Amino acid sequence: MRRRMFGAILAIISLMVGLTASATLVSAQNATPTGEPPAAHPAHIHSGTCEQLGDIVYPLEDVTGAALEGTPDASPVPVDQAGASNVLARSQSTVDTSIDDLLTEGHAINVHESAENIGTYIACGNIEGEPDEDGSLIVELQELNQSGIQGQAVLTPNDEGTLSVTITLVDAEGATTATPAS
């Protein structure tokens, strides 16, 4: 008798667990995203500095959240793994120049709010400093206009004499960046 009672109780518990799991699955399938898709942020290399931007010298790919769907690990972006959840958008561009050419005169990387609001800058960084041992240069992108966004641009020379520019934007409040290993 006890075995039958124990078996019945076990069957009822299994049934309840199964129904709960099924209800959760149906609820998750019916969920719809409530947020807007992330905006595309135009980015450029300008002559001058962030304090006084000059003309656009090199247009860059828009910085978008869609870039996160690819394989971001293919690019050497030194955003700390603990801060990876703060990554908002990323882009990768190839430009026909070298780091030395960009360092010869003042240049800056500027990120705009959107194509519709191109006059509002959300992050900027002056291209300056010494390249790493591998020839890469990291440019810190500082928050502008209380955008809540900052980031990094990694400039990496390619074998073809071009330059890869990888931009990563993060939430300024929760951002953590790491110093790349030397």
Side-chain angles (χ1 to χ4, degrees), residues 55-91:
D55 294 331
I56 295 172
V57 181
Y58 299 102
L60 302 172
E61 294 292 325
D62 288 353
V63 188
T64 67
L68 297 175
E69 295 170 6
T71 55
D73 294 335
S75 312
V77 180
V79 173
D80 184 75
Q81 292 304 313
S85 64
N86 296 327
V87 174
L88 302 172
R90 188 173 279 139
S91 74

Side-chain angles (χ1 to χ4, degrees), residues 9 11 28 38 58 71 73 85 106 113 125 138 141 144 146 152 169 176:
I9 291 172
Y58 299 102
T71 55
D73 294 335
S85 64
E113 183 177 311
I138 297 173
L141 302 175
L144 294 176
Q146 299 177 349
Q152 293 180 332
L169 298 179
T176 58

Side-chain angles (χ1 to χ4, degrees), residues 26-59:
V26 168
S27 174
Q29 288 175 346
N30 292 334
T32 56
T34 57
E36 292 293 318
H41 303 289
H44 307 99
I45 296 177
H46 289 259
S47 61
T49 63
C50 291
E51 293 73 28
Q52 184 147 6
L53 286 174
D55 294 331
I56 295 172
V57 181
Y58 299 102

Side-chain angles (χ1 to χ4, degrees), residues 5-24:
M5 186 185 239
F6 181 72
I9 291 172
L10 190 57
I12 291 171
I13 291 172
S14 295
L15 180 63
M16 290 173 51
V17 169
L19 289 174
T20 302
S22 177
T24 302

